[in-house]
Amino acid sequence: MIVETGHYALVLALALALMQFAIPFAGARLNDTALMRVARPAAIVQFLFVALAYGVLTYAHVVSDFSLVNVIENSHSLKPFIYKISGVWGNHEGSMLLWVLVLSFCGALVALFSATMPDKLRADALSVQGLLGAAFLLFILLTSNPFARVDQPPWEGRDLNPILQDPGLAIHPPLLYLGYVGFSIVFSFAAAALIGGRIDAAWARFARPWTLFAWVALTLGIAMGSYWAYYTLGWGGFWFWDPVENASLMPWLAGTALLHSAAVMEKREALKVWTIFLAILAFSLSLLGTFLVRSGVLTSVHAFASDPERGVFILGILIFFIGGALALFAIRAGSLPTGGLFAPISREGALVVNNLLLSASCATVVIGTLYPLALEALTGEKISVGAPFFNTVLIPVALPLALLMPIGQMLPWKRGDLGAALSRLRVAFVVGLVGAAALGALYGTPFLSILFGGVAVYLVVGGVSDIVQRVTFRAASAGSVFARLRGVPLSAWGTSISHAGMGLTLLGLAATGWGVENILVMKPGDFYDVGPYRLGIESVDARQGPNYSEIYAVMAVRAGDRTLATIEPAKRNYPARRMQRSEAGIVTLGLGQVYAAIGESHPDGTIDARLYWKPFVTLIWFGALVMAFGGACSLADRRLRIGVARRAVALPEAAE
Amino acid sequence: MTRKGKRLTLIIGALAVLGLAAGLMLFALRDNIVFFYTPSELAQKQTAPGARLRIGGLVKEGSVVKNGKDVSFVVTDRTKDLDITYTGLLPDLFREGQGVVVDGQLQAGGKFRADSVLAKHDERYMPKDVADALKKQGVWQGEQK
């Protein structure tokens, strides 16, 4: 009965989504306020119904209701509780339901926090959001019903794919979805602006906090996903340029560009057409990613098994929304008023260059992901483009982008003085050079690591220089330093913190060149050098977990004769799926990590092992956390806060 | 500068950056493409030794021989076989009968030297063309969806 309730709730949600699309849209065309106002309650109730359906599916997983196909295929009665909950999104049907849950959640958020928005803009935006919801609800109900039953329930389920049984997977998919589905809000706003034909600074003021919100979630989601891959897959890497990873990187790059161009639009009324285009692009790339992951057109390391029927359906959704939005854009863009003037050397100018470089990076990732598919479709040749392709293109683009970030931050709006900005960055340049020299002396080649290490240091110092200089301008006294500290707007903190965070991540990435990797056949008692440390196995043993058995090695990490830590890399065996998985042994020493994974044990008592020393590796993810924190600071800025755009309503339309 | 002049500068600047990026991309695509073949396709193509390739297929039952870190095994698509040598740890999901993808170079003498071996997350995973080939021969064992 409960399961049928969930199924029925989804059907009702579909009906509500259709209402949310049709009624406010008609209302906006007829100028009928009552019809337009249907949008808000419809969006909120639609979310409640999807949440109910989602809750029911979770309940079915928790109580191990093996009359559901979805539960049989992805759960097991002995599975730990947390994975019964996260297992709901560890499969195609459940993850699509989570997708729609997040989509309708975004719609409900807009409905709740849009009191200050003009009726028409809100009605059109929620209408587009409703249409998106309807399309995906239809997709779930027709091709991927999570509530499908079997006649004769088995006693036991097939268990969740063991690789997905990990706290990392319990957290990162919802964050990722919140990120890239979050861009649907900005997409709906852009479509609404194009439908209404009114695009001005006020639009950017409404859209920017939502962009920030999605961007923060996506940044966290990507970082956590990457850390999860790093410690569960046991190969010691954190990014594979796998199409599924690229699916989240593409909207991130477009979203980052959007974040910056929306600032220009809000502050200076410039780059309007471009900003709208990016808003469409960011979510289109999210849809493209969903299509790539869900359709089975590619066989990725992460892709769930899927069938062509779903692919065709999602392709239809993709073509309809992207095509529709772009067609609308093509029709309207020409008639949009052009924006404010600015000199090439100004904050706007720097942000234009930033957008160009980010767009080029985004295009690279899109082409690297789609080119193999296109080639296969056209010629039947199967190819792959991996890390070498992305490195060749992205490294030359990243360098000027990184150099520009602090400079742009120092330039004033409208007309800037490059000399003055550069002189404010003296300290950053010097520290960057010293940093590069120090890193080179300590770790040596490759040259690329030294170069980017130096740039990263410059980026961190340059990022915070702005705040430091604002506060200590003309050697202020202690009291006024504090007063000035409080006077710096949160959004300026946000910019500085995020840019510094990017610098930290860059340092972590640059340092991968200094990592050490050893693949060994080890005997207990023998010690091997791994970077500055020595590693050896103390014992190898077996033990039983809740739904797996494992062989684990106790390894000592030594510096000289002192034992710093013991780690326990393990090889787990999950009987329900007859699958094995590695559990890496990791210890953080300073900013770096010693990372060990074990392979097979041999009859002669030896065991295969991979040992790594990864200096600065934690900065890759810590930097991303700092970036997201910077985004959250900006989001907390009173002037940017969602729904607090009251002043904007009174602004004259499209002032030049 | 006039509005038109500025717009022109902007467009020229944008084209320069995008042109450079496109150039880099073409360069990178020419040098860093890796072709993906099944053993049968490889046999047809008569690829010269030394080429970087990616081979997809099943690990042939009973073919895995380990000697310390050195491993050799046979990848098959049930029509043709290919001998693979590899040094290092095999991934967790590597099993006989399992679909794998190996990256590496074709050696003189027809053996393949792998520098990475990938097995996929999902046990249902199999390279698409191998699955197609198996279905054609009627020896497909996966779910018929």
Side-chain angles (χ1 to χ4, degrees):
Chain A
M1 214 14 230
I2 289 177
V3 170
E4 276 62 41
T5 312
H7 194 177
Y8 190 51
L10 268 191
V11 178
L12 285 179
L14 173 62
L16 275 160
L18 287 170
M19 278 169 59
Q20 183 189 333
F21 155 64
I23 299 174
F25 186 79
R29 305 288 80 74
L30 300 169
N31 262 326
D32 184 327
T33 326
L35 290 183
M36 286 194 259
R37 294 220 164 128
V38 172
R40 292 174 76 181
I44 293 166
V45 180
Q46 185 207 329
F47 164 67
L48 293 178
F49 276 117
V50 179
L52 176 65
Y54 192 84
V56 166
L57 187 62
T58 307
Y59 172 79
H61 272 257
V62 169
V63 300
S64 296
D65 180 349
F66 292 124
S67 69
L68 285 184
V69 178
N70 190 262
V71 181
I72 298 171
E73 285 187 348
N74 301 292
S75 196
H76 189 281
S77 56
L78 293 179
K79 193 169 65 169
F81 182 71
I82 173 177
Y83 303 130
K84 285 188 177 164
I85 292 177
S86 69
V88 176
W89 59 71
N91 60 81
H92 170 80
E93 289 82 6
S95 74
M96 282 318 294
L97 190 57
L98 179 68
W99 209 99
V100 173
L101 180 69
V102 174
L103 186 71
S104 61
F105 175 66
C106 290
L109 280 184
V110 174
L112 287 172
F113 296 101
S114 61
T116 54
M117 265 171 84
D119 279 342
K120 234 181 189 166
L121 184 63
R122 179 176 53 221
D124 282 339
L126 283 174
S127 162
V128 175
Q129 196 81 17
L131 193 59
L132 278 168
F136 279 94
L137 281 165
L138 209 56
F139 172 73
I140 290 184
L141 288 167
L142 293 183
T143 73
S144 326
N145 186 359
F147 297 109
R149 298 259 205 187
V150 290
D151 294 335
Q152 286 177 316
W155 284 107
E156 197 46 271
R158 288 198 221 149
D159 208 355
L160 178 65
N161 187 337
I163 286 181
L164 307 182
Q165 294 192 27
D166 184 274
L169 199 95
I171 309 166
H172 88 260
L175 272 173
L176 270 177
Y177 281 18
L178 201 58
Y180 69 77
V181 181
F183 283 119
S184 68
I185 302 179
V186 196
F187 174 88
S188 297
F189 276 30
L194 289 169
I195 294 167
R198 213 190 110 155
I199 291 158
D200 50 22
W203 180 89
R205 207 158 296 156
F206 292 121
R208 220 175 127 200
W210 294 111
T211 312
L212 258 173
F213 159 79
W215 182 88
V216 167
L218 191 55
T219 306
L220 287 175
I222 292 176
M224 299 205 50
S226 143
Y227 191 66
W228 166 74
Y230 166 79
Y231 76 79
T232 45
L233 300 188
W235 57 287
F238 53 88
W239 195 262
F240 198 67
W241 293 110
D242 181 281
V244 175
E245 293 166 342
N246 294 350
S248 64
L249 188 62
M250 295 185 294
W252 188 85
L253 288 167
T256 310
L258 172 63
L259 209 56
H260 290 90
S261 77
V264 178
M265 177 165 167
E266 185 195 329
K267 293 272 179 6
R268 301 278 308 135
E269 287 265 354
L271 302 185
K272 280 190 263 193
V273 176
W274 174 244
T275 303
I276 294 284
F277 176 71
L278 278 181
I280 292 171
L281 190 70
F283 185 62
S284 298
L285 291 172
S286 301
L287 285 176
L288 179 68
T290 307
F291 165 69
L292 290 178
V293 179
R294 296 283 153 224
S295 63
V297 293
L298 45 87
T299 42
S300 139
V301 202
H302 307 270
F304 299 111
S306 38
D307 65 81
E309 189 194 334
R310 289 171 180 165
V312 172
F313 202 121
I314 296 195
L315 189 61
I317 296 180
L318 188 78
I319 292 170
F320 177 77
F321 282 100
I322 302 182
L326 289 179
L328 198 59
F329 181 79
I331 296 165
R332 291 284 193 174
S335 62
L336 296 176
T338 48
L341 281 173
F342 54 85
I345 298 196
S346 62
R347 177 78 68 94
E348 296 94 315
L351 289 173
V352 168
V353 180
N354 142 305
N355 263 254
L356 273 172
L357 295 172
L358 282 171
S359 309
S361 315
C362 187
T364 305
V365 180
V366 173
I367 289 171
T369 312
L370 295 185
Y371 182 73
L373 293 175
L375 197 71
E376 188 183 342
L378 294 174
T379 67
E381 291 276 25
K382 290 186 191 57
I383 59 156
S384 68
V385 297
F389 165 80
F390 293 101
N391 291 342
T392 312
V393 187
L394 291 182
I395 289 174
V397 178
L399 189 63
L401 189 60
L403 289 174
L404 179 73
M405 278 162 66
I407 300 175
Q409 212 183 325
M410 295 291 182
L411 287 170
W413 294 101
K414 204 163 180 184
R415 183 180 300 277
D417 179 350
L418 192 59
L422 292 180
S423 95
R424 285 181 69 193
L425 285 168
R426 289 192 300 269
V427 179
F429 286 121
V430 172
V431 178
L433 280 174
V434 172
L439 289 169
L442 274 172
Y443 295 99
T445 51
F447 174 70
L448 211 55
S449 291
I450 302 176
L451 174 69
F452 272 90
V455 170
V457 172
Y458 152 80
L459 202 50
V460 175
V461 179
V464 294
S465 292
D466 183 37
I467 297 284
V468 173
Q469 288 168 7
R470 275 173 195 242
V471 172
T472 59
F473 183 63
R474 282 193 199 139
S477 69
S480 74
V481 163
F482 186 68
R484 281 201 176 137
L485 208 56
R486 291 185 46 182
V488 176
L490 271 174
S491 60
W493 281 103
T495 310
S496 284
I497 293 171
S498 291
H499 286 187
M502 187 69 235
L504 293 176
T505 295
L506 192 61
L507 184 54
L509 294 175
T512 51
W514 296 313
V516 178
E517 173 180 356
N518 283 326
I519 296 176
L520 297 163
V521 180
M522 292 177 85
K523 257 200 331 278
D526 290 352
F527 272 78
Y528 298 90
D529 283 329
V530 182
Y533 303 101
R534 291 175 70 70
L535 250 74
I537 296 180
E538 289 183 337
S539 64
V540 179
D541 230 327
R543 68 184 161 203
Q544 198 66 33
N547 55 347
Y548 60 83
S549 58
E550 70 178 1
I551 299 202
Y552 68 101
V554 180
M555 283 192 190
V557 182
R558 289 190 187 164
D561 287 333
R562 221 156 43 86
T563 299
L564 299 174
T566 50
I567 48 179
E568 294 186 0
K571 190 110 180 148
R572 288 185 181 170
N573 190 27
Y574 289 75
R577 285 222 176 190
R578 289 178 294 116
M579 262 174 91
Q580 285 193 317
R581 104 168 217 212
S582 293
E583 188 78 3
I586 301 176
V587 58
T588 305
L589 298 162
L591 295 170
Q593 288 185 330
V594 169
Y595 182 114
I598 55 170
E600 226 159 314
S601 23
H602 305 290
D604 61 353
T606 56
I607 191 163
D608 295 338
R610 265 171 216 256
L611 309 177
Y612 302 88
W613 161 240
K614 298 169 168 295
F616 296 114
V617 73
T618 51
L619 287 181
I620 296 174
W621 308 288
F622 179 69
L625 289 182
V626 173
M627 264 190 267
F629 177 70
C633 284
S634 288
L635 197 57
D637 192 312
R638 208 169 47 79
R639 294 171 308 112
L640 269 178
R641 204 175 296 156
I642 289 165
V644 189
R646 214 162 265 124
R647 206 167 61 88
V649 183
L651 271 186
E653 190 173 342
E656 276 278 346
Chain B
M1 225 191 286
T2 59
R3 179 181 279 263
K4 227 177 211 164
K6 270 177 195 163
R7 182 167 289 180
L8 200 66
T9 324
L10 189 65
I11 290 172
I12 290 172
L15 286 180
V17 172
L18 294 179
L20 199 67
L24 275 171
M25 248 183 270
L26 288 177
F27 171 75
L29 276 179
R30 208 191 51 197
D31 285 1
N32 298 312
I33 282 182
V34 179
F35 282 93
F36 182 101
Y37 295 136
T38 59
S40 309
E41 283 170 344
L42 183 68
Q44 281 167 18
K45 296 276 177 186
Q46 301 188 326
T47 312
R52 284 206 58 81
L53 295 172
R54 198 166 237 234
I55 306 290
L58 302 175
V59 181
K60 193 170 187 174
E61 282 82 358
S63 72
V64 181
V65 180
K66 288 185 186 167
N67 179 16
K69 285 186 289 178
D70 297 320
V71 189
S72 70
F73 55 93
V74 173
V75 164
T76 179
D77 53 12
R78 302 278 189 243
T79 313
K80 286 271 188 220
D81 293 350
L82 180 66
D83 292 333
I84 312 277
T85 58
Y86 174 66
T87 303
L89 294 195
L90 292 167
D92 294 337
L93 302 181
F94 184 92
R95 274 202 306 256
E96 294 186 350
Q98 172 84 26
V100 288
V101 174
V102 296
D103 276 357
Q105 276 175 314
L106 193 62
Q107 309 290 101
K111 280 205 173 190
F112 192 83
R113 172 92 201 140
D115 45 37
S116 80
V117 176
L118 307 169
K120 299 285 176 155
H121 268 189
D122 198 305
E123 91 251 39
R124 279 173 286 188
Y125 167 78
M126 189 181 285
K128 200 165 146 282
D129 43 349
V130 177
D132 293 345
L134 291 184
K135 279 177 190 161
K136 226 182 279 170
Q137 295 157 39
V139 289
W140 173 247
Q141 294 173 337
E143 282 135 284
Q144 215 83 32
K145 269 201 173 175

